[in-house]
Amino acid sequence: MHIHNISKENSVLNSFLSEIRNTQIQKDRMRFRRNIERIGEILGYEMSKFFNYKTVSIETPLGHCDINVSTNDIVLCSILRAGVPLHNGLLNYFDTAENAFISAYRHHKDSPERFEIIVEYLACPNLENKTLILADPMLATGQSMVATFEALKPFGTPKDVHLIGVIGAKEGVEFIENYFDNTTHLWIAAIDKELNDKGYIIPGLGDAGDLAFGEKLQQ
C-alpha cells in the first residue's frame, strides 16, 4: 500500500488540522465540519495527481485549447456518520462521482476495551472497474476500513482503490497496510503515534461524529 501523509510537508492543511484538534475551537460544530470538509478538498486534490488523464479540445469564446482531464470513473463511499463532512469536501472536487454510503460502528461485547465492527446500512452503485474512494475521518484500529471494504465486495471489483482519512494511528495504518495490496493508496492528513486502551487515537481529536453532529444517545 502506498501511504501519503500530507502533513509531512508544511501547507495550509496544518492550520485546519490545528483547529479540529483544538478543544476551544471544537465547540463550534459548523467550523469543525467545514474544516473537515476543507481537509477533504486538499486530500482530493493531492489524490487527483495519481488519476488517469486524456487530452480534450475545449472551445472558448475566442478559440480552442487543449486540456488534460481525468478519465477516472469514481465512486465515493463514506462511513456514516462522521464521514459526511469529509464526503462533502471530496464531492466538491469530484462532483460527477457516484456515491455510496455505509454505516459501521463499534459493538462492545464484554468491556469497553473489546469490540467488533458492525456494518448495517449500505447503499452502493456498481463498482466494477471503477475508482473507489473509501473515506473515514478517523483511522484508529483500521477495522472499520477493512469491514467496510469487505461489505462492498459484492458490488464488483474496483479498478483502483484510494483510502481517505483525516487522522490515523500508527497501529491502524499498519493494520490496513497488511490487508490492502500494493496498488492501494492511503491519503491521510496526519498519523498519530498510538491508541489508548479503548482504541481511540492519541493525541487525536476525540469523537469526530460527536464533534460534527452532537453526542449520540446511549442505549
Side-chain angles (χ1 to χ4, degrees):
M1 186 176 71
H2 302 274
I3 300 172
H4 308 270
N5 183 357
I6 307 303
S7 66
K8 282 189 173 181
E9 296 183 5
N10 290 330
S11 74
V12 69
L13 173 71
N14 291 342
S15 296
F16 304 143
L17 277 172
S18 70
E19 290 192 1
I20 63 173
R21 291 185 190 266
N22 189 306
T23 56
Q24 295 303 311
I25 299 176
Q26 284 180 349
K27 296 176 182 179
D28 185 341
R29 289 179 191 165
M30 184 171 67
R31 188 170 178 180
F32 182 85
R33 292 193 300 269
R34 180 62 183 122
N35 280 331
I36 295 290
E37 186 177 334
R38 292 194 285 189
I39 290 171
E41 292 171 348
I42 293 171
L43 294 174
Y45 169 77
E46 294 294 335
M47 176 176 57
S48 72
K49 298 175 183 179
F50 284 72
F51 285 178
N52 298 315
Y53 288 82
K54 69 176 182 180
T55 302
V56 298
S57 181
I58 303 297
E59 183 177 352
T60 78
L62 300 176
H64 293 82
C65 67
D66 292 334
I67 298 178
N68 292 336
V69 297
S70 172
T71 60
N72 290 60
D73 193 1
I74 297 171
V75 176
L76 173 56
C77 180
S78 293
I79 300 176
L80 300 173
R81 62 181 170 149
V84 172
L86 185 59
H87 188 105
N88 289 338
L90 292 163
L91 198 58
N92 287 343
Y93 279 22
F94 309 118
D95 50 280
T96 62
E98 295 180 276
N99 295 270
F101 297 93
I102 187 168
S103 69
Y105 68 93
R106 295 181 178 186
H107 174 63
H108 296 271
K109 292 183 177 180
D110 306 317
S111 68
E113 292 77 21
R114 298 180 61 188
F115 61 86
E116 62 178 339
I117 302 298
I118 304 295
V119 174
E120 290 185 340
Y121 174 81
L122 173 57
C124 184
N126 182 16
L127 297 176
E128 193 68 30
N129 290 322
K130 296 181 181 178
T131 295
L132 173 63
I133 301 174
L134 184 53
D136 191 7
M138 305 303 289
L139 180 57
T141 65
Q143 294 181 43
S144 293
M145 192 74 80
V146 169
T148 300
F149 186 76
E150 286 289 332
L152 294 173
K153 284 185 174 180
F155 294 88
T157 303
K159 182 179 180 181
D160 308 293
V161 178
H162 293 267
L163 311 176
I164 299 284
V166 176
I167 297 176
K170 183 179 179 181
E171 179 180 324
V173 171
E174 291 174 349
F175 181 81
I176 66 170
E177 188 176 14
N178 290 328
Y179 173 83
F180 289 96
D181 62 32
N182 59 7
T183 66
T184 303
H185 290 259
L186 170 65
W187 303 88
I188 195 160
I191 299 176
D192 289 355
K193 59 182 180 179
E194 61 186 352
L195 299 171
N196 65 13
D197 57 3
K198 294 184 179 180
Y200 287 96
I201 301 170
I202 304 298
L205 54 74
D207 189 302
D210 287 357
L211 291 167
F213 302 109
E215 293 185 3
K216 301 177 289 291
L217 289 174
Q218 301 298 322
Q219 297 182 343

